[in-house]
Amino acid sequence: MRAFDVVVVGGGIHGAGVLQAAVAAGHSALLIEKSALASGTSSRSSKLIHGGLRYLESGQFALVRESLHERAVHLRIAPDLVQLKSFFIPVYEETRRRPWQLKLGLWLYALLGGFDACMRFGSVPRSEWPQLDGLKTQDLDAVIRYYDAQTDDAQLTRAVVESACALGGETALPARFVGATLLEEGVQVSFESGGEVTECRARVLVNAAGPWAPQIARAIRPAIHVPDVDLVQGAHIVLPMRVTEGIYYVESPSDGRAVFVMPWHEATLVGTTETPFHGDPDQVAPLPEEEEYLLGVARHYFSAASGFTRNDIVQRFAGLRVLPAASQKAFDRSRETIFTTDRDPYPRVLGIYGGKLTGWRAAAEHVLERIQPSLGESRRRASTDQLVLRRAQ
């Protein structure tokens, strides 16, 4: 029976990050994924590496500061995969936040980002409004421009795994996690691949299965604590129109929620929604009402979308966020990652619940810090904030 320091379940961006962090720190590690890398939420996000401007309103300053730091790391180590983009916030007579409020928020955003060159912001001159991809100008009071970054989430996930494998990390995919048994020191893990069940041992099992994480946790014996979380669906649609100047950060005309309209593979991606989800995570798909909601946003702001119906959607997808269980709306809840362990200070199982695409590397480093007492000494091979990530060929 093979033994690893770390076995990771889940081939999304967080599982990829933990695999990379473990091997970079000098540990042996295996990643188990039931289908393909980034086949779940990590290929169905809004494709943004950003600080989370709207989280300032809910006082999540530490999250924004960390996210802006991680954005800077991405721009340095993954120039093929993460590009800085202009973001435009149009302010109309009916827009809830006035230009002075947005500029105050962006000043705080720049402060948390260290006032580097990527944090500049300002108003777009009225003479340049006609260049903004057919954005509706009736009752338009101002357009605020700032900068954040866009990525291909699936490509980024694969690049992280490739960098981990180059350092000695291993993967088993497609491979279905069957279960795990807690030992006095470590865990015995069972997974099925190609009709055969394989067993291995790990000092620590990391559950990074995203919306499937509660299912994974319940397959561990003796039973461990499973946190109370909600699954929230985020749908996106792709429309056959072009926006080329940048990414538009707009308010939904129906409820004021923030929605992004952005360039995506010669078309336009619109998202996202926040719909409570109670079914099988394998069956997640956009609902008709979510598609109509996003179409309504595009039609409201862009002349090129004025006649679009659901028949014009060229691609549709939905992912699932994992959020702390609460009665408040998903839009207002914390986006902080939840980490759970079966015991401290020498955990055998660590679970990752929630988190943002932008924060994958920081989350992985936190995981390694939490499980280090169970792993023992090692010789570091690399630092994850220096490993260059390249687009897969």
Side-chain angles (χ1 to χ4, degrees):
M1 182 185 301
R2 294 193 64 191
F4 297 89
D5 293 326
V6 181
V7 169
V8 185
V9 180
I13 189 63
H14 284 95
V18 173
L19 179 73
Q20 184 203 59
V23 295
H27 301 291
S28 59
L30 170 71
L31 183 147
I32 301 169
E33 163 55 42
K34 67 176 183 177
S35 51
L37 297 174
S39 57
T41 304
S42 293
S43 60
R44 304 173 191 174
S45 76
S46 292
K47 323 295 184 186
L48 299 178
I49 300 294
H50 65 139
L53 179 63
R54 73 176 180 84
Y55 302 138
L56 293 176
E57 288 190 320
S58 53
Q60 298 180 66
F61 302 125
L63 174 64
V64 173
R65 182 187 292 108
E66 178 183 88
S67 296
L68 288 170
H69 172 77
E70 291 303 306
R71 187 191 71 175
V73 172
H74 278 87
L75 290 169
R76 186 180 72 249
I77 67 173
D80 293 345
L81 292 160
V82 180
Q83 288 84 40
L84 201 66
K85 300 280 187 179
S86 294
F87 278 61
F88 299 103
I89 308 176
V91 183
Y92 296 86
E93 290 180 3
E94 71 274 15
T95 301
R96 300 185 182 192
R97 297 163 189 84
R98 307 318 303 158
W100 71 266
Q101 292 173 302
L102 292 169
K103 288 182 178 179
L104 180 61
L106 284 165
W107 182 88
L108 180 56
Y109 201 55
L111 173 66
L112 293 172
F115 287 114
D116 69 20
C118 298
M119 301 308 304
R120 62 193 187 279
F121 64 91
S123 297
V124 177
R126 184 178 295 265
S127 61
E128 296 180 15
W129 291 358
Q131 302 171 24
L132 298 179
D133 298 303
L135 180 71
K136 183 184 77 172
T137 57
Q138 182 178 351
D139 299 326
L140 183 60
D141 290 339
V143 179
I144 310 299
R145 172 167 38 203
Y146 72 105
Y147 297 87
D148 256 324
Q150 185 179 31
T151 191
D152 182 319
D153 48 3
Q155 286 272 14
L156 179 63
T157 301
R158 289 190 285 268
V160 174
V161 171
E162 285 190 4
S163 73
C165 291
L167 292 173
E170 298 183 39
T171 61
L173 57 103
R176 182 180 62 87
F177 176 81
V178 175
T181 301
L182 299 179
L183 308 173
E184 183 60 32
E185 298 294 334
V187 185
Q188 185 165 317
V189 179
S190 300
F191 61 94
E192 183 271 327
S193 180
E196 295 185 2
V197 175
T198 300
E199 294 191 342
C200 64
R201 288 194 176 185
R203 294 178 184 270
V204 180
L205 174 68
V206 176
N207 178 4
W212 294 269
Q215 296 178 15
I216 298 299
R218 293 187 185 102
I220 297 172
R221 294 290 180 270
I224 62 172
H225 172 68
V226 181
D228 192 10
V229 296
D230 291 335
L231 298 183
V232 178
Q233 174 167 313
H236 296 78
I237 59 174
V238 178
L239 299 175
M241 55 180 272
R242 297 286 303 277
V243 293
T244 59
E245 294 303 305
I247 294 172
Y248 296 84
Y249 189 178
V250 299
E251 287 184 2
S252 165
S254 62
D255 61 7
R257 280 187 63 260
V259 176
F260 291 105
V261 180
M262 67 189 80
W264 184 247
H265 296 312
E266 309 301 317
T268 295
L269 177 66
V270 185
T272 183
T273 59
E274 291 179 320
T275 305
F277 183 87
H278 303 289
D280 180 354
D282 287 311
Q283 303 301 317
V284 63
L287 301 172
E289 54 266 36
E290 290 179 305
E291 295 180 4
E292 290 291 354
Y293 177 89
L294 296 173
L295 279 168
V297 172
R299 289 192 296 249
H300 183 79
Y301 287 103
F302 293 92
S303 57
S306 60
F308 284 162
T309 69
R310 290 178 60 215
N311 291 332
D312 295 298
I313 297 173
V314 296
Q315 185 184 357
R316 45 176 59 82
F317 58 88
L320 292 172
R321 306 176 190 86
V322 181
L323 299 180
S327 58
Q328 67 194 119
K329 292 182 179 179
F331 190 74
D332 299 320
R333 295 192 213 174
S334 170
R335 291 308 197 261
E336 296 282 358
T337 310
I338 303 169
F339 301 94
T340 64
T341 57
D342 69 306
R343 67 182 187 186
D344 287 310
Y346 298 100
R348 294 164 294 182
V349 178
L350 183 144
I352 305 172
Y353 295 85
K356 295 167 79 269
L357 172 66
T358 304
W360 66 268
R361 195 198 65 85
E365 291 295 336
H366 180 74
V367 167
L368 261 290
E369 182 180 331
R370 290 285 297 271
I371 66 176
Q372 184 58 47
S374 299
L375 299 180
E377 296 299 319
S378 63
R379 177 176 294 181
R380 176 166 288 277
R381 299 185 180 106
S383 296
T384 61
D385 63 353
Q386 300 297 323
L387 286 171
V388 176
L389 304 177
R390 303 194 184 281
R391 184 181 296 271
Q393 299 300 315

